[in-house]
Structure formats: structure tokens, C-alpha cells
Amino acid sequence: MPNQSLKTEELLGSREIRFIDRKESNYPNLMRMCMDFDFCVLQLQRKVYSHITNRYLSDSQAFVLTTQDYRTNDTPAITPICDTLSKLEEHVTRHQVDILHDYLFGATNEDASSAG
């Protein structure tokens, strides 16, 4: 599974999405990844340069799964950037085994060579 780098020059900002109640979560797989493993869901605001206002403006919001140490480590995103939390939940549900395998055992040499 290819990882995407979170390039800060492309971001206007980000915030962590917190999952608090296991019983009432609308996104059970995202909640499990964050509460039981060392993952974090980030809501990203990508920036786009507006020639009309001559400044950077917020583009659409996006969501991504990354590890908790994204602040101190140049951590690639674990998932592709998704437009909604629902789409991120769907992606994590489909690829949960691969995500956990890479997290627990690291990416194999085969994965690294095919990504380059």
C-alpha cells in the first residue's frame, strides 16, 4: 500500500479527530485504529493560491490516517487522502489487515521497491 507524504507547504492547517465513546462511534474502524493502536485521524485543510485575493485560501477539507508521531516525524500518511470521514472509514475497513501488518511488522522490501 503506497504511503503519501504530508507536505506542510501544501497545508493551511490540520486538527486531530478524537474518538471518545466506543459504543456510539459512527466510524468504528477508525476509532479502533486510534484507540487500540498508535494511529491518528487528521482533518487537513489544503491551501490553494487565489489570484483574486493574492493569498492562500482553504481548499476543501480532507481526512487521512497517520501515526501519532506525525508532529515530530516526517511521517507519511497511512491512507490516501479522503474527502469525508465516511470514505476514510470505508478505506480503512477494506485495507485494515494491510495497514496493521505494515504498522506491526513494517513494510516489506517488495512493497518499497514497487512503490519507487
Side-chain angles (χ1 to χ4, degrees):
M1 247 170 54
N3 294 335
Q4 296 177 310
S5 295
L6 296 177
K7 298 176 183 166
T8 54
E9 64 269 6
E10 295 175 3
L11 299 177
L12 190 59
S14 66
R15 72 180 179 118
E16 290 184 27
I17 303 294
R18 301 286 178 159
F19 298 95
I20 299 179
D21 190 359
R22 287 183 184 267
K23 296 175 190 165
E24 297 181 18
S25 177
N26 292 330
Y27 310 103
N29 289 307
L30 290 175
M31 180 216 48
R32 182 170 180 258
M33 296 296 243
C34 293
M35 295 181 84
D36 296 343
F37 299 96
D38 197 21
F39 292 110
C40 175
V41 174
L42 291 180
Q43 179 181 8
L44 308 174
Q45 285 187 308
R46 293 177 280 189
K47 61 184 177 183
V48 64
Y49 187 77
S50 170
H51 295 288
I52 297 170
T53 61
N54 290 325
R55 65 185 180 129
Y56 284 103
L57 302 174
S58 174
D59 194 8
S60 63
Q61 295 179 354
F63 300 90
V64 69
L65 185 71
T66 187
T67 55
Q68 284 285 348
D69 62 352
Y70 70 92
R71 287 180 227 95
T72 58
N73 191 358
D74 189 24
T75 305
I78 303 298
T79 62
I81 295 171
C82 298
D83 296 333
T84 65
L85 278 173
S86 297
K87 288 181 181 178
L88 185 60
E89 172 74 14
E90 289 173 22
H91 178 82
V92 168
T93 300
R94 281 192 310 264
H95 301 286
Q96 189 170 11
V97 171
D98 294 331
I99 291 169
L100 289 174
H101 181 272
D102 289 350
Y103 172 71
L104 295 172
F105 302 109
T108 63
N109 289 339
E110 251 178 45
D111 295 338
S113 64
S114 66

